[in-house]
Amino acid sequence: MAEEGAPKKRPGGRSARIHQAVLKSAFDELSKSGFRDFSIADVAARAGVHETSIYRRWGSREALALDASLHFADDAIAIPDTGVLKTDLMEIMQSAIRLLGTPRGQAMLALVELRDDNMQRLKRAYWRERFSRLRPVFDRAIKRGEFPADADPIIFLETLVAPLYFRLLVSMEAPSSWPLDEQVDRLLKAYVS
Amino acid sequence: MAEEGAPKKRPGGRSARIHQAVLKSAFDELSKSGFRDFSIADVAARAGVHETSIYRRWGSREALALDASLHFADDAIAIPDTGVLKTDLMEIMQSAIRLLGTPRGQAMLALVELRDDNMQRLKRAYWRERFSRLRPVFDRAIKRGEFPADADPIIFLETLVAPLYFRLLVSMEAPSSWPLDEQVDRLLKAYVS
């Protein structure tokens, strides 16, 4: 989804600028008033474009809300390359915790309510893409002998990141009290030794 | 919350029967039509009690929905004692996966939408209680030398159970493809060796 951020035909052109403006306006609307009051009419007014252009590209307010959220998540979470796997993982997790604590992060969490078939498909595609973008972190770690070549980095990442979402969405405990440093050490030990 | 399942004064009495009937009717209503259409009036009609009795005890439809869901989760997930920690953990996780795949489990997952302060407090209290009820599994494992006495069993359980919720609520991947057996082995290795 985030790859839609730069249209294929005219990168940097008018279409790209409008696309960015719509995503930014959509995210601002989401952060301001949440998904329940999120409307394509409001986004169109804020971005200064026609509603029909938005419908043509995104099809529904659900798809627009998801794309806008994910687009800004990609901006907020860089792919680290510190030379040490543990440090890379700590950076990823700290960025995620920081992001989810902001109004924008809260707007993203609220997308959990959207559970129809189409949204499920979009979310699945998004997370596969997000996780696979972090593969270089593990490819470099494998070369340095820090991660086994035959283990699945995606399963590892899911195990690492899931408790954060569990606390924010299910058990309502503070992510700040999660023993992150200790957990990264334990998981590395589980996979490496 | 589940401890409200048996009233203190007259266990097995009329009050207890009414309490059980309300929780069961509430859960049936939730499973039938989800939380958005969940009403105390419908629950009262189904259970054959006055709405005011329900309001008096639970205060709000949110609190009733949560209590009903958790009550049935407790029924569905027993505390195992197989004599081996890994087997106990597999039983806990398999019960959870089974439960979350049923209409009742889906109704419980839908509670994720209820995020006001009061619901957050109720959910936090519930999960603390749920996790602490599983402590005997770890106490027995510590005596058998299968789990370190200085590690936190709650953090261990959160790490184990979180990916299940992450898949069901966030990434929309199938919990059935999660490598549960392998993950339990890895986590035990992370804590024990």
Side-chain angles (χ1 to χ4, degrees):
Chain A
M1 271 145 277
E3 57 270 36
E4 292 178 7
K8 272 129 203 149
K9 281 183 193 161
R10 295 183 297 169
R14 183 168 170 275
S15 162
R17 281 198 309 275
I18 290 175
H19 191 100
Q20 291 292 322
V22 170
L23 287 177
K24 184 172 182 320
S25 300
F27 206 91
D28 290 344
E29 282 293 319
L30 265 182
S31 307
K32 194 189 74 179
S33 47
F35 182 73
R36 250 176 255 274
D37 296 322
F38 180 76
S39 83
I40 285 187
D42 289 345
V43 174
R46 187 187 277 257
V49 303
H50 288 295
E51 281 186 57
T52 47
S53 320
I54 298 182
Y55 277 108
R56 202 180 310 123
R57 194 186 287 250
W58 282 277
S60 71
R61 67 184 200 117
E62 286 82 2
L64 176 58
L66 184 68
D67 197 16
S69 301
L70 301 178
H71 185 75
F72 284 95
D74 276 346
D75 279 355
I77 302 183
I79 296 170
D81 184 12
T82 64
V84 180
L85 178 56
K86 171 159 182 198
T87 325
D88 284 355
L89 296 171
M90 290 297 290
E91 284 204 3
I92 291 167
M93 290 299 292
Q94 281 155 352
S95 304
I97 291 171
R98 221 170 14 240
L99 175 66
L100 289 168
T102 64
R104 292 183 161 183
Q106 292 294 314
M108 285 182 59
L109 282 176
L111 294 173
V112 75
E113 298 182 21
L114 309 179
R115 305 185 66 204
D116 64 61
D117 288 351
N118 191 38
M119 287 303 287
Q120 291 194 21
R121 197 178 44 73
L122 285 168
K123 288 180 187 180
R124 196 156 45 235
Y126 168 73
W127 278 99
R128 287 182 183 180
E129 175 65 23
R130 278 294 300 278
F131 281 138
S132 78
R133 286 188 196 184
L134 291 169
R135 272 194 190 271
V137 167
F138 291 89
D139 292 340
R140 291 190 283 263
I142 290 167
K143 277 192 199 135
R144 293 190 301 258
E146 292 183 290
F147 196 81
D150 61 349
D152 187 339
I154 309 298
I155 298 290
F156 182 94
L157 281 169
E158 280 188 79
T159 310
L160 189 62
V161 82
L164 177 58
Y165 284 87
F166 180 79
R167 288 190 158 206
L168 287 166
L169 293 171
V170 181
S171 72
M172 300 301 158
E173 297 286 352
S176 57
S177 65
W178 182 248
L180 181 60
D181 190 273
E182 186 189 315
Q183 280 301 103
V184 172
D185 282 341
R186 284 202 198 274
L187 283 187
L188 285 175
K189 185 173 151 194
Y191 274 74
V192 176
S193 62
Chain B
M1 274 146 274
E3 56 270 36
E4 292 179 6
K8 270 126 204 151
K9 282 184 192 162
R10 295 182 297 169
R14 184 170 169 276
S15 162
R17 281 198 309 276
I18 291 174
H19 191 99
Q20 291 294 320
V22 171
L23 287 177
K24 184 174 183 316
S25 301
F27 206 90
D28 290 344
E29 282 292 319
L30 265 182
S31 307
K32 194 189 73 179
S33 46
F35 181 75
R36 249 176 256 273
D37 297 322
F38 180 76
S39 82
I40 284 186
D42 290 344
V43 174
R46 187 188 277 256
V49 303
H50 288 294
E51 281 185 57
T52 46
S53 321
I54 297 183
Y55 277 108
R56 202 180 310 123
R57 193 185 287 252
W58 281 277
S60 71
R61 67 183 200 117
E62 286 81 4
L64 176 59
L66 185 68
D67 197 18
S69 300
L70 302 178
H71 185 75
F72 285 95
D74 276 345
D75 280 355
I77 302 184
I79 296 170
D81 184 11
T82 64
V84 180
L85 179 56
K86 172 162 181 194
T87 325
D88 284 355
L89 296 172
M90 290 297 289
E91 284 205 2
I92 292 167
M93 290 299 292
Q94 280 156 353
S95 305
I97 291 171
R98 225 175 5 247
L99 175 66
L100 289 168
T102 64
R104 292 183 161 184
Q106 293 294 314
M108 286 182 58
L109 282 176
L111 294 174
V112 76
E113 298 182 20
L114 310 180
R115 305 185 65 205
D116 63 62
D117 288 351
N118 191 39
M119 286 304 285
Q120 292 195 20
R121 198 178 43 75
L122 286 168
K123 288 179 186 180
R124 195 155 46 235
Y126 168 72
W127 278 99
R128 287 184 183 178
E129 176 65 24
R130 277 295 300 279
F131 281 138
S132 78
R133 284 186 196 185
L134 291 169
R135 274 196 188 269
V137 167
F138 291 88
D139 292 340
R140 290 190 284 264
I142 290 168
K143 277 193 197 134
R144 291 189 304 258
E146 292 183 289
F147 196 81
D150 60 350
D152 187 338
I154 309 298
I155 298 290
F156 182 94
L157 281 169
E158 281 188 79
T159 310
L160 190 62
V161 82
L164 177 59
Y165 285 86
F166 180 79
R167 289 190 158 207
L168 286 166
L169 293 171
V170 180
S171 73
M172 300 301 159
E173 296 287 352
S176 57
S177 65
W178 182 248
L180 182 58
D181 191 274
E182 186 190 316
Q183 280 302 102
V184 172
D185 283 340
R186 285 202 197 274
L187 282 187
L188 285 174
K189 185 175 150 192
Y191 274 74
V192 176
S193 62

